[in-house]
Amino acid sequence: MRFVSTRGKEKVTGAEAIVKGLASDGGLFVPESFPQVTSDEILQMGEMNYAERAAFILGKYLGAELGQDFLLETCTKAYSSFEGSDPVPLVKIDDGFYILELFHGPTCAFKDMALTVLPYLLKRSCEKLGIADDILILTATSGDTGKAALEGFRDVPGTKVSVFYPDEGVAKMQRLQMCVQDGKNVFVAAVAGNFDDCQRAVKNLFADAEFNAQLQERGVRVSSANSINFGRLAPQIAYYFSAYVDLITSGKADMGEQIDFVVPTGNFGDILAGWYAKQMGLPVRKLLCASNRNKVLADFFETGKYNVKREFHRTMSPSMDILVSSNLERLLFEISGRNAKLTAERMKSLQQNGEYSITQEEKAKIDEDFYGGFASEDDTVEAMYDIFEEYGYAMDTHTGVALAVFAEWLDKKDRKDVTQTVVLSTANPYKFPQDVLYALTGNDVKDSFKGIKRLNLLTAMKPPKSLMDLRYRPLRFKKTYPNDLKKMAAAVLDFVDGNIVPVPDEK
């Protein structure tokens, strides 16, 4: 299968799309066409474990080029690191209401679903293309992607991983996870700004000819672990199919019956994967896009105008504290009739004017598939409390946003509408123990590990060992850089040259 840029005529193979990450014109790679999954194939997935299901879906895009046997071996290795027998359990909360838990991987967030797979895809792609250069994984993170990328690529031969995160813009546990990271090929730095500043800098570095020339002199080329990379996005499509298959095999749904998904998202990658699944033939009726107080996506779905000229809010769901949703570009490309010129003009307008608009015809297409809603901090807390009080189910703050939007959606639905709904849960509650504890009890604690202890006493849920161990790990990465592209580029080059060598972990 070939892949094309959302902004031009660049056409590449799957391996090239994965290695490059971002198109040369700044666009995102999308499949030339959407492969189809038949009803019979969906039913056949009922006989597969999750690794087999994921490999099957990935194979629709990459199997001919990378090899179906390789994809199965990759997914089997990747998901063997997850806790429990099922990497993505579908939990029934009530009749017609389910939560898909995507946080059982090594870093306790849904980013593990793709970032445990991506290193294998990248290595195989380099082999296919005959690339001997080292690969620099350059990543911006609002909290979860960074840790998952660091862990996924830790000490992988031929790779280096550089992660920028917003200073004061991530949760304490997320910061700890990144700043104690071990490995000889990793670099982590805070940036004085928000996630959009980090993401903008990373995209600019991808496009910076001088920076790339300096890397080339060192025998290094840049790629991405963010969801701008199709190799990051593709594995996420699989869990939508898996959730549907689980409903069928458990007798809760019939083949062909449409269901809804509720997705908490800031960068639009997670929910876009669901839309891709629908284009491939999954019977999805509606995708509910759940935003927090930074409701740029909710406003876009309501008005057809994307406008980032607004106040930025730090919230208890920091992974969604984003104003520039990069993956929305892929959807814009599709609804415009794959008009690359128009997509490029809209992205230019966003960069220069902070806004763009779509036509009424395009908005009508979006309205068929999406509903956008948002939750205030109070709405989020109330939703988390209500679900715990009624069902005894504790969730993280991002899932709380999704539940609040779901509750709003239920109020608007026809009472005769019994469409089943799956809510995507994107992080383990223990990644945000203080906020979760506050939502469930009203108690406020300053220390994250005291929060874990009290949350454990309240819920009896076992805290992940990987999070508990953070308390006794020394910090390796402590520096904050100014929001300055030249200084960030210099730091990355210093890292590539081996001049930034953190103190080894104490054993």
Side-chain angles (χ1 to χ4, degrees):
M1 175 175 286
R2 306 284 283 183
F3 293 79
V4 297
S5 168
T6 53
R7 300 189 194 180
K9 297 181 179 179
E10 184 175 3
K11 185 182 292 187
V12 298
T13 66
E16 289 171 323
I18 290 169
V19 173
K20 293 187 71 171
L22 194 67
S24 302
D25 55 14
L28 308 186
F29 288 117
V30 298
E32 197 169 31
S33 62
F34 288 105
Q36 295 301 296
V37 180
T38 66
S39 297
D40 285 344
E41 288 175 323
I42 292 175
L43 291 173
Q44 288 168 14
M45 290 173 70
E47 302 297 320
M48 303 178 187
N49 60 33
Y50 185 76
E52 292 168 335
R53 293 175 184 179
F56 176 76
I57 296 300
L58 278 174
K60 292 288 185 175
Y61 293 97
L62 302 169
E65 186 175 2
L66 301 187
Q68 194 62 42
D69 290 342
F70 161 78
L71 292 175
L72 178 56
E73 181 183 357
T74 289
C75 291
T76 301
K77 288 179 180 177
Y79 299 124
S80 67
S81 64
F82 283 53
E83 290 186 353
S85 57
D86 185 354
V88 283
L90 184 67
V91 179
K92 180 180 178 180
I93 304 299
D94 204 345
D95 289 340
F97 168 30
Y98 303 83
I99 289 182
L100 185 66
E101 295 184 344
L102 302 172
F103 51 74
H104 293 281
T107 74
C108 306
F110 83 98
K111 306 297 175 72
D112 291 324
M113 299 304 304
L115 283 168
T116 53
V117 174
L118 184 58
Y120 297 100
L121 298 182
L122 183 60
K123 183 179 179 181
R124 179 75 163 186
S125 296
C126 287
E127 292 172 353
K128 284 287 183 180
L129 298 173
I131 293 173
D133 293 343
D134 282 355
I135 303 295
L136 170 65
I137 306 297
L138 190 57
T139 299
T141 185
S142 55
D144 290 335
T145 293
K147 174 59 181 178
L150 290 163
E151 191 62 28
F153 284 94
R154 173 174 53 92
D155 291 331
V156 172
T159 65
K160 298 179 184 294
V161 191
S162 178
V163 170
F164 290 103
Y165 70 90
D167 187 36
E168 304 302 327
V170 298
K172 292 180 181 178
M173 200 65 73
Q174 291 174 310
R175 179 191 291 265
L176 269 178
Q177 281 187 300
M178 290 185 286
C179 291
V180 304
Q181 178 68 46
D182 55 7
K184 298 177 181 179
N185 65 335
V186 299
F187 170 60
V188 180
V191 175
N194 58 37
F195 170 75
D196 292 318
D197 296 319
C198 297
Q199 181 168 250
R200 187 181 308 111
V202 165
K203 285 188 173 182
N204 287 339
L205 287 175
F206 265 84
D208 190 308
E210 180 182 356
F211 175 72
N212 281 274
Q214 291 173 310
L215 286 176
Q216 190 173 2
E217 291 173 1
R218 294 161 168 81
V220 175
R221 63 177 66 201
V222 68
S223 188
S224 176
N226 286 101
S227 53
I228 57 176
N229 190 324
F230 186 79
R232 231 299 296 279
L233 180 66
Q236 296 177 234
I237 301 169
Y239 49 71
Y240 285 91
F241 278 95
S242 185
Y244 190 84
V245 171
D246 283 348
L247 286 176
I248 293 175
T249 56
S250 63
K252 303 301 182 184
D254 297 323
M255 183 61 227
E257 178 182 341
Q258 289 190 322
I259 67 171
D260 294 336
F261 286 95
V262 188
V263 189
T265 186
N267 218 14
F268 205 70
D270 201 11
I271 196 166
L272 181 71
W275 189 80
Y276 273 28
K278 183 172 183 177
Q279 305 316 300
M280 295 172 69
L282 189 68
V284 178
R285 183 185 69 162
K286 213 78 166 179
L287 292 157
L288 279 64
C289 179
S291 302
N292 64 13
R293 195 179 172 195
N294 293 294
K295 57 188 184 74
V296 64
L297 283 169
D299 289 345
F300 170 71
F301 283 117
E302 181 179 357
T303 67
K305 183 176 182 178
Y306 197 95
N307 188 339
V308 299
K309 295 179 290 185
R310 61 181 68 206
E311 184 180 355
F312 177 83
H313 301 286
R314 300 192 190 281
T315 73
M316 66 173 65
S317 48
S319 295
M320 298 162 63
D321 290 346
I322 297 171
L323 294 182
V324 180
S325 305
S326 288
N327 273 286
L328 190 59
E329 180 173 342
R330 285 183 164 115
L331 183 64
L332 293 174
F333 178 70
E334 300 295 344
I335 64 168
S336 69
R338 297 203 147 200
N339 189 328
K341 182 180 179 182
L342 178 58
T343 303
E345 289 173 354
R346 284 169 169 164
M347 293 302 100
K348 184 177 180 180
S349 177
L350 180 64
Q351 183 180 16
Q352 295 182 348
N353 307 317
E355 63 181 25
Y356 62 80
S357 296
I358 60 174
T359 67
Q360 286 301 311
E361 291 78 11
E362 290 170 327
K363 186 177 183 305
K365 291 179 184 178
I366 286 179
D367 290 344
E368 290 179 8
D369 294 333
F370 292 93
Y371 168 82
F374 77 96
S376 68
E377 298 289 83
D378 288 344
D379 293 335
T380 303
V381 167
E382 183 178 356
M384 295 169 68
Y385 176 82
D386 287 347
I387 294 296
F388 183 71
E389 187 72 6
E390 185 169 357
Y391 300 103
Y393 187 89
M395 68 192 70
D396 83 294
T397 49
H398 303 77
T399 310
V401 170
L403 263 295
V405 171
F406 179 45
E408 174 188 285
W409 170 253
L410 288 176
D411 288 341
K412 295 182 177 182
K413 279 175 58 172
D414 185 329
R415 291 185 180 276
K416 296 180 181 179
D417 184 352
V418 293
T419 304
Q420 301 197 76
T421 303
V422 175
V423 177
L424 272 57
S425 184
T426 54
N428 190 299
Y430 284 112
K431 287 198 77 165
F432 309 92
Q434 292 143 292
D435 289 322
V436 174
L437 184 69
Y438 174 76
L440 302 188
T441 68
N443 294 329
D444 193 7
V445 296
K446 302 298 182 185
D447 181 77
S448 297
F449 295 97
K450 285 184 179 178
I452 286 179
K453 183 177 181 180
R454 295 185 185 183
L455 193 58
N456 174 243
L457 290 172
L458 176 68
T459 65
M461 290 176 12
K462 183 180 178 181
K465 185 177 184 299
S466 61
L467 297 182
M468 294 300 292
D469 289 347
L470 295 175
R471 185 171 193 171
Y472 306 104
R473 297 283 301 279
L475 294 179
R476 295 183 70 196
F477 301 96
K478 307 174 185 178
K479 189 167 183 178
T480 299
Y481 289 82
N483 182 21
D484 182 295
L485 189 64
K486 289 185 177 179
K487 292 182 179 179
M488 294 169 70
V492 173
L493 291 171
D494 273 350
F495 162 60
V496 170
D497 288 338
N499 296 330
I500 300 178
V501 183
V503 176
D505 292 66
E506 296 177 1
K507 300 297 183 182

